[in-house]
Amino acid sequence: MEKETFNELLRRYEEGRCTPAEAAKVEEWFHAMAKASPEPAGEPDYGKLGKQLYDRIGIPKGRPAKFMRWLPYAAAILVSLAVGIVVYRANQPTSPQLTSQYGDDALPGSNKATLTLADGRVIDLDQARKGIVIGTENITYDDGSTLNVMLSEAEASLQNSRDPSTPLRSAQGDGSVMLALTTPRGGQYQVTLPDGSKAWLNAASTLKYPSRFTANERIVELEGEAYFDIVQTQGTRDTRAPAPISKSIGVPNTLGMPFKVRTSGQTVEVLGTQFNISAYPGSPETQTTLVEGKVQVEANGASLQLVPGEQAATTDKALNKRNVNTESYTGWHEGWFVFHDLNLADIMRQLENWYDIEVDYATLPDENYYGRIKRDVRLSDVLDILAADRNFTFKLNGRTLMAN
């Protein structure tokens, strides 16, 4: 690899802009230098690049000793997982009586969700598929197969109904119906919205959205966590509803409609971008992490704008922003747990929902981690990595996990 390419990859890693494959390659080099293995003749002198790699990745001051102690053991497993050498049981038993050295064990989550219609009907979505697409007339799976849900019939039925107790009535007042996609603990699912925007729902989450966007803004509601890829609305309005008329030129206005995500206590407004929102009930804060574009976050009577690499943190009293490694908060939607100096308690919050367990946070030591783990492994495989070369271990009793 040319020196310029190598240095650029290090910069991308440090800034959190690497793809999973690129990050895995950097961590592979990192692990190779930790072992101080001799390089074959004719290869770049990676030994001399070791200090540069440590410096560029940016180990926090005061933590290098702990990091170095951990690296030769846990990083070896993390890197192996990153490049696909996963200690993974291909023929996992389906019995809930799973055991490991930690006592009980838990299987990873999978594609599981329900779709709730405006009339209260709940549809169990196919676990063999990854997502659904909200079309003009009906709803399909992402492979094109239909759910036999005719939106036009549902809208007509709702228009004829004056029952205010309808579970999901659109706030737009335009005859569209509201839909709700819900994932349980241990579930995830995707949805392509009426304007072509995409949302990936993490475990234990609900996204509410209209069957079509016809107003001057696109609004969805989130409880839990979702990763969004929002399209700009140049001519994406629903053709079944009239678009507002521009007073200046007398033609339908095709300028971008703002996209808003409402959660408990905050609103995020975008035009076209990629970002992650974690807004679980009971969490100490709602986190909005920006990957691309620009968003505005409003909460507690204040507002702020984010640029890529920044995160807004909303509590019931304040709204602040900080610089973060975005992969730590967005890697889940590509199938990874990503840790960039991430505290064990924050890691456990991710494991709780994905493996459907409860964590005794009072027993957790104050430990931080770097690396990545695939989300398709058993809980015990994750715990093996987290406990490697540490002075504690884990115990899973039924569905409760604690450290001792």
Side-chain angles (χ1 to χ4, degrees):
M1 175 177 290
E2 296 181 357
K3 179 179 179 180
E4 291 78 10
T5 304
F6 181 81
N7 290 338
E8 173 61 22
L9 200 52
L10 289 182
R11 281 193 294 271
R12 288 170 57 80
Y13 186 97
E14 181 185 9
E15 296 168 1
R17 297 187 294 113
C18 279
T19 66
E22 290 172 339
K25 177 57 67 177
V26 172
E27 291 162 1
E28 187 178 9
W29 293 332
F30 204 177
H31 174 51
M33 278 176 282
K35 294 193 305 180
S37 57
E39 298 296 336
E43 291 288 324
D45 189 349
Y46 285 102
K48 291 183 179 180
L49 293 175
K51 184 178 183 301
Q52 177 187 12
L53 187 55
Y54 282 99
D55 291 343
R56 296 298 292 275
I57 288 178
I59 301 172
K61 293 181 179 180
R63 297 190 60 85
K66 177 178 283 191
F67 186 82
M68 285 297 296
R69 176 175 61 84
W70 167 82
L71 181 63
Y73 301 91
I77 306 174
L78 289 169
V79 171
S80 295
L81 289 167
V83 298
I85 309 174
V86 181
V87 183
Y88 181 67
R89 303 163 180 83
N91 298 316
Q92 295 184 358
T94 56
S95 168
Q97 302 301 320
L98 300 172
T99 59
S100 72
Q101 62 172 313
Y102 304 105
D104 296 316
D105 203 352
L107 293 175
S110 59
N111 296 322
K112 289 181 287 189
T114 59
L115 178 66
T116 303
L117 306 180
D119 59 8
R121 284 181 294 160
V122 178
I123 300 174
D124 290 319
L125 298 177
D126 193 340
Q127 297 184 28
R129 295 178 170 90
K130 295 181 179 180
I132 57 174
V133 179
I134 310 302
T136 302
E137 294 292 334
N138 60 7
I139 302 174
T140 64
Y141 286 107
D142 51 5
D143 63 359
S145 56
T146 182
L147 274 73
N148 293 320
V149 177
M150 301 303 296
L151 294 176
S152 58
E153 294 178 2
E155 290 174 359
S157 175
L158 187 60
Q159 285 178 325
N160 293 330
S161 172
R162 295 294 181 264
D163 182 1
S165 66
T166 301
L168 292 171
R169 179 180 291 277
S170 173
Q172 297 182 145
D174 56 6
S176 65
V177 296
M178 290 295 289
L179 308 168
L181 182 65
T182 301
T183 55
R185 275 191 163 195
Q188 63 181 10
Y189 228 74
Q190 304 173 19
V191 58
T192 301
L193 298 171
D195 63 343
S197 297
K198 297 180 183 295
W200 289 256
L201 257 66
N202 207 345
S205 302
T206 296
L207 184 69
K208 297 179 181 178
Y209 49 92
S211 57
R212 52 192 172 108
F213 294 115
T214 59
N216 291 327
E217 55 188 9
R218 301 166 288 168
I219 301 176
V220 300
E221 299 176 12
L222 172 68
E223 180 179 284
E225 184 169 23
Y227 183 92
F228 294 90
D229 186 354
I230 306 303
V231 300
Q232 296 188 25
T233 54
Q234 292 293 336
T236 59
R237 293 182 182 273
D238 194 310
T239 58
R240 293 176 296 165
I245 300 298
S246 169
K247 295 181 180 179
S248 60
I249 57 177
V251 297
N253 179 9
T254 58
L255 295 178
M257 288 188 294
F259 190 103
K260 294 183 178 181
V261 182
R262 290 178 177 169
T263 64
S264 177
Q266 77 168 31
T267 298
V268 177
E269 180 175 340
V270 303
L271 283 176
T273 188
Q274 295 185 35
F275 60 100
N276 191 86
I277 298 179
S278 179
Y280 284 108
S283 293
E285 60 185 22
T286 294
Q287 298 171 339
T288 303
T289 308
L290 184 61
V291 178
E292 294 181 4
K294 184 181 293 185
V295 303
Q296 179 166 304
V297 182
E298 298 180 357
N300 299 311
S303 66
L304 55 80
Q305 285 193 345
L306 300 180
V307 298
E310 290 185 336
Q311 180 183 83
T314 302
T315 66
D316 57 353
K317 297 180 180 180
L319 171 63
N320 299 294
K321 68 177 178 179
R322 57 202 174 206
N323 294 319
V324 297
N325 181 286
T326 59
E327 268 200 311
S328 293
Y329 303 92
T330 65
W332 66 267
H333 98 281
E334 293 183 333
W336 296 92
F337 296 115
V338 181
F339 315 138
H340 186 85
D341 197 26
L342 201 63
N343 188 263
L344 182 59
D346 293 325
I347 294 172
M348 286 299 161
R349 291 187 182 94
Q350 298 183 41
L351 302 186
E352 269 190 316
N353 286 327
W354 188 236
Y355 291 97
D356 190 13
I357 60 172
E358 301 295 333
V359 175
D360 185 347
Y361 286 92
T363 66
L364 297 181
D366 183 16
E367 300 278 343
N368 282 38
Y369 291 81
Y370 290 78
R372 61 186 55 233
I373 309 174
K374 290 287 288 182
R375 292 199 345 149
D376 60 358
V377 299
R378 283 185 180 182
L379 176 62
S380 58
D381 293 323
V382 178
L383 300 181
D384 283 341
I385 296 168
L386 297 178
D389 192 40
R390 302 280 171 145
N391 59 2
F392 67 90
T393 186
F394 292 100
K395 177 68 176 180
L396 184 62
N397 185 8
R399 309 303 298 183
T400 302
L401 178 67
M402 63 183 65
N404 50 36

